[in-house]
Amino acid sequence: MDKIIIEGGNTRLQGEVTIEGAKNAVLPLLAATILPVEGKTVLKNVPILSDVFTMNHVVRGLNIAVDFDEALNQVTVDATGAILDTAPYEYVSQMRASIVVLGPILARNGHAKVSMPGGCTIGSRPIDLHLKGLEAMGASIHQEGGDISATAEKLKGAHFYMDFPSVGATQNLMMAATLAEGTTVLENVAREPEIVDLANLLNKMGARVSGAGTETLTIRGVAELHGAEHNVVQDRIEAGTFMVAAAMTSGNVLIKDAVWEHNRPLISKLREMGVDVREEEAGIRVKSDISKLKPVTVKTLPHPGFPTDMQAQFTALMAVVKGESTMIETVFENRFQHLEEMRRMGLHSEILRDTAMIHGGQRLQGAQVMSTDLRASAALILTGLVAQGQTKVGQLSHLDRGYYQFHEKLAQLGADIRRESED
Ligand code: EPZ
């Protein structure tokens, strides 16, 4: 099992860092490549992440040609001809995001079978909104033996209001509606940049999606879609992770090609703390002096609120800022596990349901810690940068799902960090 080892305590990150295409954009984009009946779809700026390999296997399992040219960060998909109805269990079971292939397969074939995604450590992760939306479009859904079966001779345009602006449900339903008969209106949808990226690809394929990025999507069904070419949007969470890393270490870092517009809630909170965040020609520059930063209160919300995917990393920053900070996690029910591990490093915090009180500014000591999920891994590594002494972070399979060359990029910015296999 690999471990990341950090000698922390006097790290000051300086220099420039590049970020990759967004994991949470490319996964639904790969699902969308199932839809075209003819022509190839080429996705560029694809990050080299384990979740991308998994989704490639899911799509390949439908008898679709998928070629990932890692040297070019490019995936070429050709879904011409008949495709299968059933997504391969062995890969779907590895990644709950695979559920977004349900809508595209159903829209294309009239029948789809996908295994029920399990929960994960951050929450139960239900998919009731995905299923209710497909039923609203005329699908009949039943669950047997851990699989979900959806059938619809032809999906019909519908008007569906989402109880919660679920990212995955918005993506599934948007894709299903592209081939439905008539017009679908989806209300109270997710507004994340990754939703806009997916709508852009679908429209390049010949779909008619409008309203992406707002709370209402209108999709006018078309007869069929064709292949297209598309650049995956930059990863705002990777960018945000490096912005927080710079802020925690009194650093001065330029995050190249980061998109200001996609990180406004995070930038506003960093500025409220006293971090110097500026937009430059080449990206976003973050400078800070940790001794001058002030504690803040943050509440995670669907976009354009503060992103839950930045919550763990931001609590690491709160841990080093002197004073009482508060983090309220409203999106997932169990996303504070990293704080238990950070306690082993000397963090003082109390958790009461969705609220964590963080008593920042204590001297943190390096320790051996385990990561429980993707963003917790990043948060623990960042904490290791500022803790005195050696920190070892295990369970790196979580990290590899969402960060490409994470420790190499931190080393390039001046961190004393390495990755060793400890079999
Ligand atoms: C996406 O997950 C992201 N994953 C998550 O990123 C991200 O945290 C999440 O959106 C919220 O922004 C990908 O894009 C691959 P949701 P998703 O459906 O689509 C409830 C990361 O670290 N809900 O918006 O699964 C659900 O229980 C990952 O990169 C229902 O109740 O998120 C949760 O509390 C982690 N019923 C809330 O909505 C449903 O049918 C948000 O879930 C669907 C969701």
Side-chain angles (χ1 to χ4, degrees):
M1 292 285 280
D2 282 9
K3 279 199 189 328
I4 278 186
I5 297 154
I6 306 132
E7 303 300 339
N10 50 17
T11 312
R12 294 191 63 148
L13 298 180
Q14 317 256 343
E16 296 186 354
V17 66
T18 55
I19 52 174
E20 313 300 317
K23 166 181 88 80
N24 291 349
V26 71
L27 298 180
L29 293 174
L30 284 167
T33 66
I34 294 168
L35 289 163
V37 286
E38 54 86 24
K40 289 182 180 176
T41 299
V42 179
L43 299 180
K44 299 185 173 190
N45 194 32
V46 174
I48 300 173
L49 301 169
S50 60
D51 273 5
V52 172
F53 289 106
T54 302
M55 189 58 103
N56 285 348
H57 284 303
V58 171
V59 176
R60 243 180 233 119
L62 301 171
N63 197 27
I64 293 174
V66 179
D67 172 58
F68 188 5
D69 182 337
E70 293 176 46
L72 293 176
N73 290 89
Q74 184 170 302
V75 173
T76 305
V77 181
D78 187 347
T80 309
I83 69 165
L84 301 178
D85 293 349
T86 304
Y89 172 76
E90 62 181 304
Y91 295 111
V92 170
S93 55
Q94 285 174 34
M95 184 179 65
R96 60 174 320 287
S98 314
I99 190 64
V100 293
V101 302
L102 178 64
I105 303 171
L106 176 62
R108 175 89 191 261
N109 274 6
H111 177 248
K113 194 165 163 184
V114 180
S115 77
M116 185 81 176
C120 69
T121 55
I122 63 176
S124 65
R125 316 289 296 267
I127 57 164
D128 55 306
L129 297 175
H130 299 240
L131 303 182
K132 276 200 285 194
L134 291 174
E135 282 172 333
M137 292 185 215
S140 64
I141 308 267
H142 61 278
Q143 302 179 22
E144 62 192 50
D147 286 336
I148 296 156
S149 259
T151 309
E153 195 49 40
K154 182 79 179 158
L155 290 169
K156 302 272 183 296
H159 201 131
F160 181 66
Y161 189 94
M162 274 194 204
D163 303 350
F164 180 88
S166 152
V167 170
T170 302
Q171 292 163 341
N172 233 335
L173 301 178
M174 179 184 356
M175 288 189 276
T178 57
L179 297 177
E181 218 156 62
T183 296
T184 298
V185 177
L186 302 174
E187 287 193 80
N188 192 32
V189 295
R191 301 168 55 186
E192 277 73 2
E194 294 77 28
I195 300 289
V196 176
D197 208 39
L198 176 60
N200 290 341
L201 172 61
L202 291 171
N203 286 335
K204 286 179 187 174
M205 290 175 161
R208 298 176 64 193
V209 180
S210 57
T214 74
E215 68 279 9
T216 303
L217 277 171
T218 303
I219 305 106
R220 289 170 183 73
V222 295
E224 60 182 37
L225 299 181
H226 53 74
E229 195 165 299
H230 184 74
N231 273 310
V232 179
V233 70
Q234 291 294 75
D235 193 324
R236 63 192 165 103
I237 305 300
E238 184 189 13
T241 304
F242 282 105
M243 289 161 71
V244 165
M248 290 175 69
T249 59
S250 298
N252 179 343
V253 176
L254 173 69
I255 296 98
K256 294 180 72 177
D257 302 328
V259 179
W260 185 274
E261 186 52 32
H262 294 169
N263 267 313
R264 285 181 30 239
L266 170 65
I267 290 165
S268 128
K269 277 300 166 186
L270 288 170
R271 283 179 157 177
E272 187 184 329
M273 275 185 146
V275 179
D276 177 353
V277 189
R278 277 174 221 211
E279 189 167 23
E280 292 185 358
E281 188 62 33
I284 296 175
R285 179 173 296 279
V286 175
K287 283 197 280 197
S288 94
D289 171 352
I290 198 77
S291 65
K292 298 199 175 76
L293 300 188
K294 298 189 301 301
V296 291
T297 293
V298 175
K299 177 185 277 192
T300 68
L301 287 167
H303 195 77
F306 187 96
T308 174
D309 290 348
M310 280 303 305
Q311 182 258 101
Q313 301 91 306
F314 207 85
T315 58
L317 172 56
M318 288 171 158
V320 293
V321 171
K322 199 165 177 45
E324 308 298 311
S325 286
T326 306
M327 176 61 79
I328 304 159
E329 170 58 66
T330 73
V331 178
F332 288 106
E333 65 267 31
N334 185 32
R335 203 172 194 176
F336 282 138
Q337 293 170 87
H338 50 284
L339 295 179
E340 314 295 338
E341 288 300 302
M342 286 158 71
R343 241 182 233 135
R344 295 165 43 73
M345 302 169 85
L347 173 69
H348 296 179
S349 68
E350 284 93 41
I351 299 171
L352 192 61
R353 285 188 295 284
D354 64 355
T355 300
M357 302 295 299
I358 297 185
H359 312 301
Q362 320 285 334
R363 273 176 64 79
L364 299 175
Q365 300 297 328
Q368 177 128 347
V369 290
M370 297 307 277
S371 42
T372 49
D373 63 85
L374 165 55
R375 306 302 171 185
S377 313
L380 291 168
I381 290 166
L382 297 191
T383 310
L385 296 178
V386 296
Q388 292 298 332
Q390 186 178 87
T391 294
K392 281 188 176 182
V393 182
Q395 299 286 66
L396 297 180
S397 56
H398 294 295
L399 183 74
D400 295 338
R401 299 185 57 175
Y403 289 95
Y404 173 70
Q405 295 192 341
F406 190 58
H407 79 277
E408 290 94 330
K409 292 183 181 183
L410 287 170
Q412 216 161 11
L413 292 171
D416 182 343
I417 184 170
R418 64 187 190 278
R419 179 165 178 158
E420 284 178 4
S421 62
E422 283 208 336
D423 289 328

